[in-house]
Amino acid sequence: MTDVLYLAHDLSDAAVRRRVLMLKAGGARVTVAGFQRAGNMLADDPEVRIIVLGRTADARMGQRVAAVLSASVTLKRKLADVTRPDVILARNLEMLALAGRASNLFGGETPIVYECLDIHRLLLDNGSKGRMLRTAEGYFGRNASLILTSSPAFIENYFEKRSRLDLPTLLLENKVLNLGGRLRTGQPRPAPPSAGEPWRIGWFGALRCRKSLQILTDFARQMEGKIEIVLRGRPAYSEFEDFDRLVREAPHVHFAGPYRNPEDLAEIYRNVHFTWAIDFFEEGLNSDWLLPNRLYEGSLYGAVPIALCSTETGRFLQRKSIGLTLKTAAPEELAAIFDEMNASEYSEFSQRMAMIDPSSWVSGPEESRALVQRLSGLYGSTQPSARPLQSPLQSGGTP
């Protein structure tokens, strides 16, 4: 059995839990060492040992740097009785900074994989801060064997052009995990609203984009009950002036709290007609390049995705001839579209979605085994070339 030490930046991140579930399904034994923020998504899993390295906070880079420095001092004690892993998976730059130290504690030969599912805006800064962080990334990743990332645009726009790392890349999209065939992926799909009922747009997941919230609340107010906005997930409160008040005071906008992924996906997405797959959090940079979780989740259950045509998400939808792509996502543009939206047009959207092979949205046991096999094969291998790999994990090929 492959032993994986997963260094996690945030134990409350649903994507961390999803990766752990995937590793376990692939046959790995997983130990997670990470920082705590809003809770621990893995607390109810008796098969996974959790080692808390400290506490960190959203949008506080200085505090996180201090926490990493503190954790590096205590890491030997924290990992003292951990079995020597076959591979160390480091999520984000802050955990990559600890990965080399962890590898040395186990003799210095344990391969390191850098999991990077977002490119922080400071890494793209053209000034001294950006150069310093890219230099740090290159330094801490100098002995890594592989980069694991979730969008081809990250590879094309950052790792091939700006990063100081010269490593192979493995593309592992943010697909929905279907382990053991337990996901309810068939019918029914969302039906058009009955006469007098609103179109419902769901914005689910990590809610961190002030501009999206402003657009959606303005749009809902302008449509006077013809549109309902449903929010679910984990708000990044540090990014909003007062998230709870803004939502409470916005007409036809509702926050329905957190959910479990993948257990609750069928219920929440089948209760909306459209998925808001737009993000302005790092507009022109990471937000333009990512392929978000909600794209795969909503599409799997028939909620029509809404994206900007100028982004990687929009191009993804255009290649598949599905979804609703916008030029600006301004409330006026949305109002013009939804003023004309009818059951016939929506049914056409829905039918095109239904024609897409579910493997575009779902990752199963085969992909999990392939991932663990790829990771376990790194031990003892020579330093690989910088040519990006063609991943066997891409069901149906790269989008």
Side-chain angles (χ1 to χ4, degrees):
M1 178 175 283
T2 301
D3 279 297
V4 177
L5 174 61
Y6 191 15
L7 301 179
H9 70 305
D10 180 4
L11 295 174
S12 65
D13 190 338
V16 168
R17 177 175 182 261
R18 185 174 66 246
R19 183 67 70 237
V20 170
L21 291 175
M22 190 174 191
L23 291 168
K24 287 173 54 182
R29 181 168 41 232
V30 185
T31 298
V32 179
F35 292 102
Q36 200 147 10
R37 294 188 190 180
N40 184 353
M41 293 287 289
L42 298 164
D44 60 351
D45 191 337
E47 297 179 351
V48 178
R49 181 181 176 187
I50 308 297
I51 300 170
V52 178
L53 300 177
R55 298 195 68 89
T56 56
D58 286 330
R60 293 181 59 190
M61 178 65 75
Q63 187 271 339
R64 296 210 303 273
V65 169
V68 169
L69 290 173
S70 177
S72 69
V73 174
T74 61
L75 198 62
K76 182 176 182 179
R77 174 173 56 84
K78 297 268 188 174
L79 301 181
D81 60 347
V82 173
T83 302
R84 176 178 173 173
D86 298 300
V87 63
I88 296 171
L89 181 60
R91 173 69 185 272
N92 286 5
L93 177 57
E94 58 208 272
M95 306 315 292
L96 184 64
L98 291 176
R101 166 80 169 145
S103 179
N104 287 335
L105 292 174
F106 295 108
E109 297 182 356
T110 304
I112 295 167
V113 175
Y114 178 29
E115 182 183 36
C116 183
L117 307 186
D118 286 292
I119 310 297
H120 195 281
R121 61 184 175 272
L122 288 180
L123 281 167
L124 299 164
D125 182 82
N126 290 321
S128 58
K129 289 182 180 179
R131 289 193 296 272
M132 181 179 67
L133 274 185
R134 290 190 294 274
T135 299
E137 184 183 57
Y139 176 78
F140 291 125
R142 66 194 184 280
N143 294 321
S145 300
L146 184 69
I147 296 168
L148 192 159
T149 192
S150 57
S151 170
F154 290 154
I155 300 171
E156 177 184 352
N157 293 291
Y158 179 70
F159 288 112
E160 290 183 349
K161 294 180 178 178
R162 307 192 68 176
S163 174
R164 303 291 176 88
L165 296 172
D166 187 18
L167 296 171
T169 54
L170 180 61
L171 181 63
L172 187 59
E173 298 170 56
N174 291 317
K175 295 182 180 181
V176 178
L177 280 183
N178 187 14
L179 304 177
R182 292 190 294 268
L183 281 184
R184 296 173 289 149
T185 58
Q187 297 292 337
R189 303 175 81 82
S194 302
E197 292 184 348
W199 295 101
R200 291 187 300 277
I201 299 174
W203 182 27
F204 301 152
L207 308 180
R208 59 183 184 177
C209 179
R210 285 190 299 261
K211 187 172 179 179
S212 283
L213 184 61
Q214 187 66 60
I215 289 171
L216 291 171
T217 53
D218 289 349
F219 172 47
R221 184 178 294 107
Q222 184 174 334
M223 295 299 288
E224 298 180 332
K226 297 178 182 178
I227 291 289
E228 180 181 339
I229 306 299
V230 183
L231 312 179
R232 294 206 62 165
R234 188 163 66 98
Y237 284 101
S238 61
E239 299 300 327
F240 300 95
E241 181 180 339
D242 188 340
F243 176 85
D244 294 328
R245 178 185 60 79
L246 291 171
V247 172
R248 185 173 59 250
E249 295 178 356
H252 316 296
V253 178
H254 311 284
F255 177 54
Y259 61 93
R260 285 178 65 83
N261 183 342
E263 292 86 346
D264 299 336
L265 296 181
E267 177 185 355
I268 67 173
Y269 279 103
R270 284 175 178 161
N271 283 321
V272 297
H273 304 102
F274 295 88
T275 299
W276 185 257
I278 294 175
D279 182 82
F280 298 100
F281 181 64
E282 292 177 348
E283 191 173 0
L285 302 171
N286 186 74
S287 294
D288 285 8
W289 303 337
L290 57 76
L291 292 173
N293 298 322
R294 55 182 70 95
L295 167 66
Y296 301 90
E297 297 166 0
S299 298
L300 176 62
Y301 293 106
V304 176
I306 302 173
L308 287 172
C309 59
S310 60
T311 65
E312 185 68 16
T313 303
R315 291 187 288 271
F316 177 98
L317 296 179
Q318 290 167 342
R319 288 193 292 270
K320 292 184 177 295
S321 300
I322 59 173
L324 180 58
T325 54
L326 311 174
K327 291 184 178 180
T328 66
E332 296 76 18
E333 182 182 6
L334 287 161
I337 292 171
F338 279 89
D339 272 334
E340 302 297 326
M341 186 68 64
N342 55 50
S344 176
E345 184 176 5
Y346 183 77
S347 294
E348 185 177 339
F349 277 122
S350 188
Q351 288 168 11
R352 288 202 296 268
M353 297 280 294
M355 294 173 64
I356 302 298
D357 190 317
S359 66
S360 293
W361 319 122
V362 176
S363 174
E366 181 179 351
E367 290 82 7
S368 298
R369 288 190 293 270
L371 172 61
V372 172
Q373 184 178 4
R374 180 71 180 89
L375 296 181
S376 64
L378 295 173
Y379 187 80
S381 64
T382 57
Q383 182 67 24
S385 68
R387 179 177 57 85
L389 300 175
Q390 291 299 313
S391 169
L393 302 169
Q394 298 168 13
S395 301
T398 302

mmCIF file of all heavy atoms in Angstrom, residues 33 140 252 286 357 368 379 398:
data_model
loop_
_atom_site.group_PDB
_atom_site.id
_atom_site.type_symbol
_atom_site.label_atom_id
_atom_site.label_comp_id
_atom_site.label_asym_id
_atom_site.label_seq_id
_atom_site.Cartn_x
_atom_site.Cartn_y
_atom_site.Cartn_z
ATOM 1 N N ALA A 33 -1.244 16.350 7.397
ATOM 2 C CA ALA A 33 -0.703 17.340 8.322
ATOM 3 C C ALA A 33 -1.015 18.710 7.742
ATOM 4 O O ALA A 33 -0.614 19.014 6.616
ATOM 5 C CB ALA A 33 0.803 17.156 8.496
ATOM 6 N N PHE A 140 11.820 26.356 -2.964
ATOM 7 C CA PHE A 140 11.179 25.295 -2.185
ATOM 8 C C PHE A 140 10.801 24.092 -3.052
ATOM 9 O O PHE A 140 10.685 22.978 -2.545
ATOM 10 C CB PHE A 140 9.946 25.844 -1.469
ATOM 11 C CG PHE A 140 10.261 26.807 -0.371
ATOM 12 C CD1 PHE A 140 9.700 28.081 -0.369
ATOM 13 C CD2 PHE A 140 11.120 26.462 0.652
ATOM 14 C CE1 PHE A 140 9.989 28.986 0.645
ATOM 15 C CE2 PHE A 140 11.428 27.370 1.673
ATOM 16 C CZ PHE A 140 10.864 28.631 1.666
ATOM 17 N N HIS A 252 -34.726 38.652 -3.118
ATOM 18 C CA HIS A 252 -34.668 37.459 -3.972
ATOM 19 C C HIS A 252 -33.275 36.825 -3.995
ATOM 20 O O HIS A 252 -32.898 36.168 -4.969
ATOM 21 C CB HIS A 252 -35.112 37.804 -5.398
ATOM 22 C CG HIS A 252 -36.332 38.663 -5.465
ATOM 23 N ND1 HIS A 252 -37.564 38.244 -5.003
ATOM 24 C CD2 HIS A 252 -36.504 39.961 -5.883
ATOM 25 C CE1 HIS A 252 -38.443 39.212 -5.167
ATOM 26 N NE2 HIS A 252 -37.826 40.264 -5.689
ATOM 27 N N ASN A 286 -5.770 34.526 -12.256
ATOM 28 C CA ASN A 286 -6.262 33.203 -11.858
ATOM 29 C C ASN A 286 -7.726 32.983 -12.225
ATOM 30 O O ASN A 286 -8.110 31.891 -12.663
ATOM 31 C CB ASN A 286 -6.078 33.044 -10.341
ATOM 32 C CG ASN A 286 -6.410 31.664 -9.842
ATOM 33 O OD1 ASN A 286 -5.656 30.722 -10.043
ATOM 34 N ND2 ASN A 286 -7.546 31.530 -9.180
ATOM 35 N N ASP A 357 -20.910 13.280 -22.507
ATOM 36 C CA ASP A 357 -20.510 12.084 -21.767
ATOM 37 C C ASP A 357 -20.250 12.449 -20.310
ATOM 38 O O ASP A 357 -19.503 13.399 -20.022
ATOM 39 C CB ASP A 357 -19.237 11.508 -22.390
ATOM 40 C CG ASP A 357 -18.881 10.132 -21.857
ATOM 41 O OD1 ASP A 357 -18.985 9.922 -20.626
ATOM 42 O OD2 ASP A 357 -18.482 9.277 -22.663
ATOM 43 N N SER A 368 -8.708 7.338 -9.718
ATOM 44 C CA SER A 368 -8.074 7.343 -8.397
ATOM 45 C C SER A 368 -6.897 6.385 -8.367
ATOM 46 O O SER A 368 -5.813 6.705 -7.848
ATOM 47 C CB SER A 368 -9.103 6.957 -7.330
ATOM 48 O OG SER A 368 -10.162 7.893 -7.274
ATOM 49 N N TYR A 379 8.882 7.327 -6.527
ATOM 50 C CA TYR A 379 9.936 6.965 -5.576
ATOM 51 C C TYR A 379 11.077 6.255 -6.299
ATOM 52 O O TYR A 379 10.877 5.283 -7.018
ATOM 53 C CB TYR A 379 9.399 6.057 -4.469
ATOM 54 C CG TYR A 379 10.423 5.799 -3.391
ATOM 55 C CD1 TYR A 379 10.647 6.747 -2.395
ATOM 56 C CD2 TYR A 379 11.190 4.640 -3.393
ATOM 57 C CE1 TYR A 379 11.595 6.530 -1.409
ATOM 58 C CE2 TYR A 379 12.143 4.418 -2.419
ATOM 59 C CZ TYR A 379 12.344 5.362 -1.433
ATOM 60 O OH TYR A 379 13.302 5.158 -0.469
ATOM 61 N N THR A 398 -8.215 15.922 -22.731
ATOM 62 C CA THR A 398 -8.210 17.278 -22.210
ATOM 63 C C THR A 398 -9.318 18.088 -22.859
ATOM 64 O O THR A 398 -9.511 18.027 -24.057
ATOM 65 C CB THR A 398 -6.868 17.943 -22.524
ATOM 66 O OG1 THR A 398 -5.836 17.137 -21.944
ATOM 67 C CG2 THR A 398 -6.791 19.330 -21.932
#
